[in-house]
Amino acid sequence: MRIISVISIIFIQARETVMPYRFYFALVQPLLTAVLLALASPSTAAEAINIYSARQEALIKPLLDRFTDQTGISVNLVTGSGDALLARLRTEGRNSPADLLLTTDAGRLYRAREAGVLQPALQDLPVALVPGHLRSPEGYWVGLSMRARVLVYAPDRVDPAELSSYQALARPQWHGRICVRSSGNIYNQSLVASMLATQGSEATQQWLQGLVENFARPPQGGDRDQIKAVASGQCDVALVNNYYLGAMVQSEDPQERAAAAKVRLFWPNQQQRGTHVNISGAGITAAARNPKLARQLIEFLLQDSSQRWYAEANNEYPVRDDVPASALLQSWGEFKADQLDVSELGRLNAAAVMAMDRANWK
């Protein structure tokens, strides 16, 4: 109120003199700015969280609405591709309005940490909430849900006894029988990075050469397209994330459901390191104006009920060991998951891309 009174006095003086109004406006402008900042005080502006999300709105907003209902804290959501959101954060720098980055794949979270757009605000989250291998060791990000890179196959053309591991897909028996999306896809890059971490560069390069030679067609489309290609007979085996198959099983599109019914899921590497897994996750931005609220939201997303919702709505696995998977995921059976620190998927991403290029994986 004191600021407003001063402004009123200045304008009264302006009317009583011949001094131009622009002179008085120059005096008042800083005071107007102060008034606007006061109006945007913590009592109004701070009770909101701004999120940049690579997760589609339909797959996250119901949970955010539930968070708002329970806490009274509003959430502003901006969605986009993971790479585009990271580029936006880098461009905005300290002026970014985002408090939280929510994205898919540990590789993207690692890139965000390397770009300096996240802060180490999650170090003391209990390991009981997020296992150590599914989080940044320095506290820059944590996993919120887990997905597996599985094999889908045509049961009328493939005996599951023929399947065993990712490495076995490079054998001559699979020549012209494998479908997969492009090397530009980060899910494939992370799979190759996991091979580099566990098998070494020489063995991984040999595997890549054999795998590429066994492609049934040039890599194209997304994971659903690979499943459809197996169902239509264009190939016999495909590499996909498990939740894409789940989405097709539950799809409202009868053609997608029909395609999903023609394939089966196989868990690779059960006799070795386990099936390759990745995460969707979140980190608090370096520019966050509301880091405490952002952390509160992350803790909410790790609660039992939120983890169950993730499993049901997204066909992904909870990161918490004490929360059961959805009925559909349970119907696929239990599996041994790779315990590799998913930070390695980001650290080795560049090496994975170069190895894929050398193998001519387009």
Side-chain angles (χ1 to χ4, degrees):
M1 294 301 294
R2 184 176 300 172
I3 293 173
I4 295 174
S5 297
V6 172
I7 293 172
S8 299
I9 292 170
I10 291 174
F11 273 107
I12 290 170
Q13 292 295 322
R15 288 201 305 268
E16 295 176 352
T17 69
V18 294
M19 192 95 41
Y21 270 104
R22 64 178 179 273
F23 172 80
Y24 289 96
F25 183 76
L27 293 176
V28 171
Q29 187 176 27
L31 295 173
L32 287 172
T33 301
V35 170
L36 292 175
L37 289 174
L39 292 175
S41 64
S43 62
T44 56
E47 293 301 305
I49 306 170
N50 298 324
I51 300 180
Y52 285 0
S53 173
R55 175 129 270 173
Q56 296 176 17
E57 182 173 338
L59 300 181
I60 188 63
K61 194 173 185 302
L63 267 183
L64 301 180
D65 291 342
R66 190 180 302 175
F67 172 77
T68 297
D69 290 342
Q70 292 184 14
T71 65
I73 300 169
S74 60
V75 178
N76 303 313
L77 184 65
V78 174
T79 59
S81 74
D83 294 336
L85 292 174
L86 176 55
R88 180 170 176 173
L89 280 170
R90 295 180 71 170
T91 300
E92 293 170 341
R94 289 287 175 177
N95 295 317
S96 176
D99 297 303
L100 192 68
L101 173 66
L102 197 159
T103 190
T104 55
D105 195 280
R108 289 194 176 104
L109 290 163
Y110 187 90
R111 289 178 189 173
R113 184 259 182 274
E114 290 293 290
V117 301
L118 300 180
Q119 59 174 286
L122 302 168
Q123 273 186 311
D124 57 342
L125 275 179
V127 176
L129 289 180
V130 185
H133 68 290
L134 300 179
R135 63 199 292 173
S136 160
E138 302 90 0
Y140 284 94
W141 47 264
V142 296
L144 297 175
S145 61
M146 187 175 72
R147 65 278 298 278
R149 197 86 176 136
V150 301
L151 306 182
V152 294
Y153 65 95
D156 58 333
R157 301 188 300 277
V158 176
D159 182 344
E162 298 178 81
L163 299 169
S164 59
S165 65
Y166 302 112
Q167 296 95 308
L169 296 178
R171 293 174 181 168
Q173 73 185 88
W174 299 111
H175 183 70
R177 302 176 67 188
I178 297 172
C179 281
V180 67
R181 62 200 293 177
S182 78
S183 61
N185 173 250
I186 198 165
Y187 304 148
N188 287 332
Q189 293 170 7
S190 290
L191 173 61
V192 175
S194 77
M195 295 290 287
L196 288 169
T198 57
Q199 308 298 311
S201 58
E202 184 176 347
T204 299
Q205 197 65 55
Q206 292 177 353
W207 169 70
L208 282 169
Q209 293 294 155
L211 181 68
V212 170
E213 290 175 3
N214 288 341
F215 288 171
R217 62 179 186 180
Q220 56 191 267
D223 279 16
R224 294 184 196 228
D225 295 305
Q226 314 315 314
I227 296 169
K228 293 174 184 177
V230 173
S232 66
Q234 296 179 57
C235 49
D236 295 338
V237 179
L239 278 162
V240 301
N241 281 357
N242 72 279
Y243 57 84
Y244 286 106
L245 179 59
M248 291 178 67
V249 169
Q250 299 172 335
S251 175
E252 295 181 359
D253 183 343
Q255 292 183 338
E256 287 203 342
R257 292 198 306 272
K262 292 181 179 179
V263 305
R264 299 290 182 272
L265 180 149
F266 183 85
W267 302 108
N269 291 74
Q270 292 302 283
Q271 303 304 314
Q272 298 90 26
R273 62 187 175 105
T275 297
H276 166 65
V277 295
N278 209 319
I279 59 168
S280 70
I284 298 173
T285 68
R289 291 164 175 77
N290 298 302
K292 290 184 179 179
L293 297 183
R295 179 186 168 110
Q296 185 177 345
L297 176 56
I298 288 175
E299 291 175 346
F300 171 82
L301 294 174
L302 291 170
Q303 290 179 359
D304 292 27
S305 59
S306 299
Q307 288 282 291
R308 288 193 181 93
W309 187 91
Y310 255 121
E312 292 289 345
N314 300 336
N315 294 298
E316 292 183 86
Y317 291 86
V319 292
R320 289 181 51 175
D321 294 333
D322 59 341
V323 177
S326 68
L328 174 60
L329 270 57
Q330 290 185 46
S331 73
W332 292 337
E334 295 185 1
F335 71 101
K336 176 183 175 182
D338 189 4
Q339 298 296 300
L340 177 71
D341 185 340
V342 294
S343 295
E344 291 292 280
L345 308 182
R347 187 180 70 83
L348 294 170
N349 178 266
V353 172
M354 289 189 289
M356 297 166 89
D357 287 345
R358 287 192 294 269
N360 203 32
W361 185 339
K362 300 298 186 182

